[in-house]
């Protein structure tokens, strides 16, 4: 994987982490990680980016998540291209998304002879499709 491709992937993961945390109680810890990335551009730019981040977070429930994700992926990518020393902090931010994605989902269906569709999580009960 080329360095640019890897950087794009890390920026995408970091943006996904930001967007997913915007609507959670753990937002402040994510904001602190983002601030570490922004500080590489200087205090004034960090403050500007944090203000933008706060504005998006305040509207996170009404804006399209993909729109916010794309916006922050571009901003983070540009920041790390301009300040390569921010790459480690960006990776730390991205790792928050990876941690969230490491959950395990295990759904099974046994003893059924028809089509079984399982959606969501915490599905309980059974499905019997035998014809009577």
């Amino acid at each position: 994987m080329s360095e640019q491709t890897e950087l794009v992937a890390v920026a995408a993961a970091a943006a996904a982490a930001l967007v997913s945390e915007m609507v959670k109680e753990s937002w402040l810890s994510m904001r602190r990680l983002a601030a570490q990335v922004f500080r590489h551009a200087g205090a004034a730019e960090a403050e500007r980016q944090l203000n933008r981040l706060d504005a998006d977070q305040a509207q996170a429930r009404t804006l399209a998540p993909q729109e916010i994700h794309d916006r922050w992926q571009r901003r983070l990518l540009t920041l790390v291209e301009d300040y390569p020393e921010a790459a480690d902090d960006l990776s730390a931010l991205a790792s928050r998304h990876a941690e969230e994605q490491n959950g395990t989902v295990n759904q099974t269906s046994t003893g059924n002879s028809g089509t079984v569709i399982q959606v969501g999580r915490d599905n309980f009960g059974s499905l019997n499709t035998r014809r009577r």
Side-chain angles (χ1 to χ4, degrees):
M1 184 181 312
S2 75
E3 187 175 318
Q4 180 65 21
T5 303
E6 187 174 325
L7 182 57
V8 169
V10 172
L18 281 173
V19 173
S20 68
E21 292 287 325
M22 283 181 175
V23 294
K24 296 180 182 177
E25 290 183 22
S26 56
W27 168 246
L28 289 179
S29 67
M30 178 59 77
R31 187 185 186 280
R32 282 191 288 276
L33 284 174
Q36 289 176 356
V37 175
F38 302 144
R39 284 190 192 111
H40 291 278
E45 182 62 16
E47 186 65 30
R48 188 170 80 90
Q49 293 298 338
L50 287 172
N51 287 337
R52 286 175 155 181
L53 191 61
D54 291 339
D56 282 351
Q57 189 272 333
Q59 299 176 48
R61 295 188 191 277
T62 59
L63 296 175
Q66 190 62 48
E67 177 185 340
I68 301 170
H69 174 274
D70 293 347
R71 180 182 309 155
W72 284 100
Q73 180 180 354
R74 284 189 308 271
R75 288 177 181 162
L76 292 167
L77 186 57
T78 299
L79 182 97
V80 175
E81 286 173 339
D82 292 344
Y83 303 94
E85 65 275 13
D88 289 341
D89 288 329
L90 184 68
S91 292
L93 187 64
S95 72
R96 286 285 293 265
H97 182 64
E99 290 169 10
E100 189 175 288
Q101 297 301 312
N102 284 337
T104 301
V105 174
N106 186 13
Q107 294 182 326
T108 60
S109 174
T110 57
N112 296 297
S113 59
T115 301
V116 175
I117 300 172
Q118 294 178 314
V119 179
R121 55 172 272 221
D122 300 330
N123 293 308
F124 297 100
S126 62
L127 174 65
N128 187 343
T129 60
R130 275 186 272 153
R131 294 187 180 153
R132 294 176 190 217

